Amino acid sequence: MHVTIAEAEKIVEAARDKALAIGTQMCIAVVDSGGNLVAFGRMDGAQLASISISEHKARTAATFRRPTRVFEDGIQRSDYKYILSLDGVIASRGGIPLVEDGKLIGAIGCSGAAGSQDEAACKVGAATINK
Amino acid sequence: MHVTIAEAEKIVEAARDKALAIGTQMCIAVVDSGGNLVAFGRMDGAQLASISISEHKARTAATFRRPTRVFEDGIQRSDYKYILSLDGVIASRGGIPLVEDGKLIGAIGCSGAAGSQDEAACKVGAATINK
Amino acid sequence: MHVTIAEAEKIVEAARDKALAIGTQMCIAVVDSGGNLVAFGRMDGAQLASISISEHKARTAATFRRPTRVFEDGIQRSDYKYILSLDGVIASRGGIPLVEDGKLIGAIGCSGAAGSQDEAACKVGAATINK
Amino acid sequence: MHVTIAEAEKIVEAARDKALAIGTQMCIAVVDSGGNLVAFGRMDGAQLASISISEHKARTAATFRRPTRVFEDGIQRSDYKYILSLDGVIASRGGIPLVEDGKLIGAIGCSGAAGSQDEAACKVGAATINK
């Protein structure tokens, strides 16, 4: 199962509203359960580096089926440094799986602000799907 | 000068309406004048290969400042085969520059259907900017 | 807004004068605000690896809109190791944004000597723009 | 033997003067005899696609030790289409080796205008070395 384009655009819009509400500019990406891009938006003023980072976060959340936060948390502990060598990982908050009826249908990734802000926007976007 | 996210989303929407009207599924990408992604949408059912092709078309149209159609036309003629060796070229219709007040502000790329259909959707998207 | 070629060449020249003054050889790259190369010079005797490193530093400074030093400093602290997993980052001093009238117009990157020397040359180059 | 940075900058300047004189904007790259970048300048208004194309032309001219024109000419003839499959080739005029005392010391590549104009600027640049 995959997130639809209609759902993906609602997710991007919801995340963007959150980003605006907290006074930040982000890139927001939604991928399907295959890790392939469905929708993307770069807010005016968002840093260019966040284009690929937001998509990377979304892809990591989808293909590892977990929030990218677990990787960031993991490398804080010296015994999890190996995470940085795993193909496809991005160890930074702001990537969250989208789950419908217990099934992965995609993921959202946000980048451009502080990690906690990126994650906050992600959560708002994901909340349109994850109940 | 760069296309804004508000403009880019209108462009994607207009191109998608056209794609729907002609019964096709496409990926639609909008980049700014530096070739960096601003907005992207993959219609339900569009082939995955078109994700990168649509962005490539948009980037080529922006960085060469001409429709990708000129490259497709060129390689039909035996004396322009060298085009295939130029870095960054995609020689396929469906990439069109966005020009506002005579200045390049970005480009749109469409992929997923026949070349003529991709280009038709591009034109409708670009028409929201190019007067 | 973008740095002009005339400005970029002055930046390269100023950074090179500094590099010469401190007895080093560097590669010096200037990119525009979209991260695209404007001017580049490799001093006689500079190591080849610094060709891409100098451009990478400049691009990172432009696309993240901050000196690359913040990334080098960050990974010295155990809680910022995730920086190494962010797309496009180079965590090494010697990349500085160029800011004119409060707007990013590009960035300079220097590589070839010690990090502190690379950064010193960058600062001299950037000072022709940043007041 | 390698072109020096002082020579390379004179080459770029001479090629640019020619480009200006014929009313065009180009990217101009000079590589050494190892194919590695020495100097680069993007004239204001030159298309972004020419950044990599100009360097590619210079590298091809250096590493194949012949003008890129021979590859463009070659693929005009149906029996030389295999050229497009050779690693590193760019089959487009505007790349010329730099030869001093009968020895290759580098190459210049120009891109941004018509092929004949790119080549004309290259020749002027190369003429500062090739006697």
Side-chain angles (χ1 to χ4, degrees):
Chain A
M1 278 179 42
H2 293 307
V3 63
T4 65
I5 178 66
E7 290 170 323
E9 292 190 337
K10 262 180 221 146
I11 294 165
V12 170
E13 198 180 320
R16 185 160 53 204
D17 285 347
K18 177 64 177 177
L20 281 170
I22 58 177
T24 62
Q25 297 85 38
M26 296 183 190
C27 291
I28 303 161
V30 174
V31 301
D32 65 19
S33 57
N36 296 304
L37 194 63
V38 179
F40 171 86
R42 168 158 57 99
M43 294 169 67
D44 296 331
Q47 64 180 15
L48 294 181
S50 290
I51 298 172
S52 50
I53 293 174
S54 62
E55 190 178 338
H56 190 173
K57 286 179 177 176
R59 180 167 293 118
T60 296
T63 59
F64 285 92
R65 299 186 292 206
R66 69 199 76 181
T68 55
R69 182 194 193 100
V70 302
F71 296 115
E72 183 177 336
D73 288 350
I75 60 169
Q76 310 289 44
R77 302 165 23 199
S78 63
D79 49 344
Y80 281 95
K81 288 288 183 300
Y82 74 90
I83 286 172
L84 288 173
S85 72
L86 296 180
D87 303 72
V89 159
I90 185 164
S92 172
R93 275 170 291 177
I96 295 184
L98 302 168
V99 180
E100 201 169 58
D101 299 329
K103 299 245 181 182
L104 180 83
I105 63 165
I108 177 176
C110 294
S111 172
S116 58
Q117 294 172 316
D118 291 343
E119 191 177 43
C122 263
K123 281 180 177 166
V124 171
T128 66
I129 297 288
N130 304 353
K131 305 300 177 188
Chain B
M1 279 180 41
H2 293 308
V3 62
T4 65
I5 178 66
E7 290 170 324
E9 291 191 337
K10 263 180 220 146
I11 294 166
V12 170
E13 197 180 320
R16 185 162 51 206
D17 284 347
K18 177 65 177 176
L20 280 169
I22 58 178
T24 63
Q25 297 84 39
M26 297 183 189
C27 290
I28 303 160
V30 174
V31 301
D32 65 21
S33 57
N36 296 305
L37 193 64
V38 178
F40 171 86
R42 169 159 56 99
M43 295 169 66
D44 296 331
Q47 63 181 14
L48 295 181
S50 289
I51 299 172
S52 51
I53 293 174
S54 62
E55 191 177 337
H56 189 172
K57 286 180 178 176
R59 182 167 291 119
T60 296
T63 59
F64 284 93
R65 299 187 297 207
R66 67 198 79 181
T68 55
R69 182 194 192 101
V70 302
F71 296 117
E72 182 178 336
D73 288 349
I75 60 169
Q76 310 289 31
R77 300 162 29 195
S78 61
D79 51 343
Y80 281 95
K81 288 285 185 300
Y82 75 90
I83 287 171
L84 289 172
S85 73
L86 297 181
D87 304 74
V89 159
I90 183 165
S92 172
R93 274 171 290 176
I96 295 183
L98 302 168
V99 180
E100 200 169 60
D101 298 329
K103 297 245 182 185
L104 181 83
I105 62 166
I108 177 176
C110 294
S111 171
S116 59
Q117 295 173 314
D118 290 344
E119 192 178 42
C122 262
K123 281 180 176 166
V124 172
T128 65
I129 298 287
N130 303 352
K131 305 300 177 188
Chain C
M1 279 179 41
H2 294 308
V3 62
T4 65
I5 178 67
E7 290 170 324
E9 292 190 337
K10 261 180 220 145
I11 294 165
V12 170
E13 197 179 321
R16 184 161 52 205
D17 285 349
K18 177 64 177 178
L20 280 169
I22 58 177
T24 63
Q25 297 84 39
M26 296 183 190
C27 291
I28 303 160
V30 174
V31 301
D32 66 21
S33 57
N36 295 305
L37 193 64
V38 178
F40 171 86
R42 169 159 57 99
M43 294 169 66
D44 297 331
Q47 63 181 15
L48 295 181
S50 289
I51 298 172
S52 50
I53 293 174
S54 62
E55 190 178 338
H56 190 171
K57 286 179 178 177
R59 181 167 293 120
T60 296
T63 59
F64 284 92
R65 299 186 298 206
R66 69 198 77 181
T68 56
R69 181 195 193 100
V70 301
F71 295 116
E72 182 177 336
D73 287 350
I75 60 168
Q76 310 288 31
R77 299 161 30 196
S78 62
D79 51 343
Y80 281 96
K81 289 285 187 300
Y82 75 91
I83 287 171
L84 289 172
S85 73
L86 296 180
D87 304 74
V89 159
I90 185 165
S92 171
R93 274 171 291 177
I96 295 183
L98 302 168
V99 180
E100 199 169 60
D101 299 328
K103 297 245 182 185
L104 181 82
I105 63 166
I108 177 176
C110 294
S111 172
S116 58
Q117 294 173 316
D118 290 344
E119 191 178 42
C122 262
K123 281 181 177 166
V124 171
T128 66
I129 297 286
N130 303 353
K131 305 301 176 188
Chain D
M1 278 180 42
H2 293 308
V3 61
T4 65
I5 178 66
E7 290 170 324
E9 292 190 338
K10 261 181 220 146
I11 294 166
V12 170
E13 197 179 321
R16 184 160 53 204
D17 285 348
K18 177 64 177 176
L20 281 170
I22 58 177
T24 63
Q25 297 84 38
M26 297 183 190
C27 291
I28 302 160
V30 174
V31 302
D32 65 20
S33 56
N36 296 303
L37 194 63
V38 178
F40 171 87
R42 169 158 57 100
M43 293 170 67
D44 295 332
Q47 63 180 16
L48 294 181
S50 289
I51 299 172
S52 50
I53 294 175
S54 62
E55 190 178 338
H56 191 172
K57 286 179 177 177
R59 181 168 291 119
T60 296
T63 58
F64 285 92
R65 298 185 294 207
R66 68 198 78 181
T68 56
R69 182 194 192 101
V70 303
F71 296 115
E72 183 178 335
D73 288 349
I75 61 169
Q76 310 288 43
R77 302 165 24 198
S78 63
D79 50 344
Y80 281 94
K81 289 288 183 298
Y82 74 90
I83 286 171
L84 288 173
S85 73
L86 296 180
D87 303 73
V89 159
I90 185 165
S92 173
R93 274 170 289 177
I96 295 184
L98 302 168
V99 179
E100 199 169 60
D101 299 330
K103 299 247 181 181
L104 180 83
I105 62 165
I108 177 175
C110 293
S111 172
S116 58
Q117 295 173 314
D118 291 343
E119 192 177 42
C122 262
K123 281 181 177 166
V124 172
T128 66
I129 298 287
N130 304 352
K131 306 299 178 188

